[in-house]
């Protein structure tokens, strides 16, 4: 099923002693761009206000009423200034609409040969005035890369797509529904978090005792149609040629009941107790099921890392592609800007072109290798890299995060599990920040360039403290 087009409210600012004809020209240009990018616009009809713009208090009321009617669909607002615009009209529209969504402010550039009275825009100045009024009203907003820019400019196209991604992250995180299956491993204080702090941010957590999953899984008979289908699904998903059939059935049982849990509670993501009870009481790993969920954009994190899976979900919203929870695990020789990313492992198939279902040697050393079938083995090849982490600061009662970008490389790496080599500029500086600020050893990776999107969404619109490692200069 095709996803619906993202919907943005669009405000065309106008001011009566600037050329009115610029407004319909802008409307046509913006509509054309939206069509090319697969976006839907909610904007005033020219029959409702002069040229469909916002200039007066009455115009602002009409535009706000239109936006309120589409509240459930609008994920952000684009403010377009074909001329200086009316800063009060723009601010009033957003105040009256009360959408609480991200706002992007764009202004048109003037042409040097059109600075006469009948053709000048003055949007350069008008944009400053609009932003001033939004700041006074306490309405957060985003800016374009260039202070003034035409919608047809490639930089604005990138800005608009990034803005839509910011809107997806903000909307998705504010209503995220997470599932926590089982207690965190006793030895992992690092994954503790505050459910109450998340709740204040709009993130709900539904908990389930692991015994309920194991109990339900144990009741599925060998001929149960859903179990048979899940076995076929796993075989189609990854190479299972080495997996003993009874262990494959045990893996499938977990997959069926986890699917039921996600569907029953309409969850966006899950964090699961992946050791040691599963191996001791069910006889296999849950990694394959978690990988399949993440690949299907229902991210799943191991070790009941709830804020880790929230990070996975946020990165997925930003990029539209699966994320993976990894360990900052090993140095890569003597290179200060490279390290090994690892888990034993449950990464989505998108990261593992040579994916194979095997067992987990590390867990197997204490739990019995025969009880760890279901772990995935595979190497992630070279790709773009966005990494980051969300955490709850329980002492301060806040949410903090860090984000950054690098690359995954094809450097030689002889080991097992899910593995990758990452190159991160000034990695040692980043590791000092991670350690000094008490972040977890888990980090999330995504094959994208979306750190800027995440930083904008987290800091400007969600109000979190964000460290953007080696951020591009503004």
């Amino acid at each position: 099923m095709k996803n619906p087009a993202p919907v943005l409210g669009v405000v065309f600012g106008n001011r009566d002693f600037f050329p009115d004809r610029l407004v319909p020209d802008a409307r046509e240009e913006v509509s054309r761009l939206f069509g090319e990018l697969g976006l839907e616009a909610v904007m005033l009809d020219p029959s409702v206000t002069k040229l469909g713009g916002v200039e007066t208090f009455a115009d602002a009321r009409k535009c706000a009423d239109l936006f309120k009617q589409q509240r459930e669909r609008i994920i952000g607002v684009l403010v377009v200034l074909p001329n200086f615009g009316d800063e009060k009209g723009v601010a009033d529209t957003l105040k009256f609409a009360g959408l609480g969504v991200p706002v992007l402010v764009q202004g048109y550039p003037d042409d040097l040969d059109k600075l006469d009275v009948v053709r000048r825009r003055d949007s350069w100045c008008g944009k400053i005035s609009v932003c001033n009024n939004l700041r006074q009203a306490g309405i957060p907003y985003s800016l374009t890369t260039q202070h003034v820019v035409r919608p047809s400019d490639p930089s604005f196209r990138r800005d608009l797509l990034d803005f839509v991604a910011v809107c997806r992250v903000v909307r998705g995180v504010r209503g995220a529904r997470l599932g926590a299956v089982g207690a965190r491993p006793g030895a992992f204080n690092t994954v503790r978090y505050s459910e109450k702090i998340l709740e204040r941010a709009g993130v709900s957590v539904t908990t389930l005792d692991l015994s309920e999953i194991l109990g339900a899984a144990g009741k599925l008979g060998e001929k149960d149609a859903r179990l048979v289908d899940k076995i076929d699904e796993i075989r189609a998903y990854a190479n299972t040629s080495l997996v003993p059939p009874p262990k494959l059935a045990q893996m499938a049982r977990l997959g069926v009941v986890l699917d039921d849990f996600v569907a029953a509670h309409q969850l966006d993501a899950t964090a699961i107790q992946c050791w040691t009870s599963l191996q001791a009481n069910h006889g296999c790993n849950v990694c394959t099921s978690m990988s399949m969920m993440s690949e299907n954009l229902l991210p799943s994190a191991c070790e009941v890392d709830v804020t880790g899976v929230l990070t996975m979900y946020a990165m997925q919203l930003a990029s539209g592609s699966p994320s993976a929870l990894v360990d900052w695990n090993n140095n890569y020789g003597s290179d200060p800007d490279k390290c090994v990313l690892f888990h034993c492992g449950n990464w989505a198939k998108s990261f593992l072109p040579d994916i194979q279902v095997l067992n987990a040697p590390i867990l197997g050393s204490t739990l019995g290798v025969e009880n760890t079938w279901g772990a995935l083995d595979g190497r992630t090849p070279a790709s773009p890299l966005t990494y980051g982490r969300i955490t709850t600061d329980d002492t301060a009662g806040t949410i903090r995060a860090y984000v950054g970008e690098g690359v995954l490389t094809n450097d030689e790496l002889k080991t097992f599990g899910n593995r990758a080599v990452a190159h991160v500029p000034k990695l040692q500086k980043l590791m000092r920040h991670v350690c000094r600020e008490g972040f977890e050893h888990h980090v999330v990776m995504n094959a994208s360039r979306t750190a800027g999107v995440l930083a904008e969404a987290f800091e400007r619109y969600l109000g979190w403290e964000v460290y953007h490692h080696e951020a591009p200069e503004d």
Side-chain angles (χ1 to χ4, degrees), residues 423-438:
H423 178 272
V424 176
K426 297 186 180 179
L427 177 60
Q428 301 304 310
K429 176 184 175 183
L430 173 63
M431 290 299 99
R432 284 194 294 273
H433 179 82
V434 168
C435 290
R436 289 199 182 280
E437 296 300 318

Side-chain angles (χ1 to χ4, degrees), residues 345-423:
N346 64 345
W347 299 355
K349 184 179 180 178
S350 294
F351 294 98
L352 308 171
D354 57 344
I355 189 172
Q356 186 174 15
V357 183
L358 294 176
N359 44 39
I362 294 177
L363 288 176
S365 65
T366 57
L367 300 173
V369 172
E370 70 280 3
N371 294 318
T372 64
W373 285 100
L376 298 176
D377 185 86
R379 166 67 192 269
T380 302
S383 72
L385 169 66
T386 291
Y387 59 83
R389 175 76 207 193
I390 297 167
T391 192
T392 55
D393 186 332
D394 298 32
T395 302
T398 60
I399 296 176
R400 297 185 294 131
Y402 69 86
V403 295
E405 293 178 357
V407 293
L408 298 179
T409 75
N410 286 327
D411 290 304
E412 184 179 22
L413 182 61
K414 296 179 179 179
T415 188
F416 53 87
N418 291 173
R419 55 204 184 269
V421 176
H423 178 272

